[in-house]
Amino acid sequence: MKKKRQEEAQEPKKEQKIIYIDDGSSVADMSGTYKHGKAPRQRSTFREKARTFFGVMKKMILPMLCTLLAFTLIFILLLAVTGKL
């Protein structure tokens, strides 16, 4: 009984908390993590973000269509093999 009371009375060790700093930069670019007295980074505008988004989406259309075509062909092949075509 005494041992249990002594163990309960002991305070748990305090763990050091990890602090994450998010300044909106990518993982590869950690230059803006700490302030070194330089001028603050300029934030991108909504228009720039929209242009980037739609530019990336245009590049993704062809791979997406190729993937859908491949899935369709595999599905038709499986239907033919099982005799349900």
Side-chain angles (χ1 to χ4, degrees):
M1 289 275 191
K2 284 187 176 181
K3 286 185 180 180
K4 279 188 177 181
R5 290 181 187 163
Q6 288 175 354
E7 289 175 3
E8 289 175 1
Q10 292 177 355
E11 293 182 23
K13 295 180 181 178
K14 291 186 178 181
E15 295 182 16
Q16 184 179 6
K17 292 185 179 181
I18 299 173
I19 299 172
Y20 295 98
I21 300 172
D22 182 18
D23 63 346
S25 61
S26 65
V27 174
D29 178 24
M30 296 301 290
S31 61
T33 305
Y34 296 103
K35 294 180 181 178
H36 296 288
K38 296 181 181 178
R41 283 184 30 195
Q42 291 181 350
R43 300 278 180 188
S44 60
T45 63
F46 177 77
R47 187 175 190 170
E48 291 171 338
K49 290 178 183 178
R51 282 185 184 172
T52 303
F53 174 77
F54 288 113
V56 169
M57 291 304 291
K58 285 180 188 176
K59 292 179 182 178
M60 289 173 55
I61 288 175
L62 184 61
M64 179 190 64
L65 292 176
C66 291
T67 304
L68 288 175
L69 178 65
F71 283 142
T72 304
L73 292 176
I74 291 170
F75 180 71
I76 291 172
L77 179 67
L78 288 174
L79 284 178
V81 168
T82 58
K84 296 183 180 182
L85 183 61

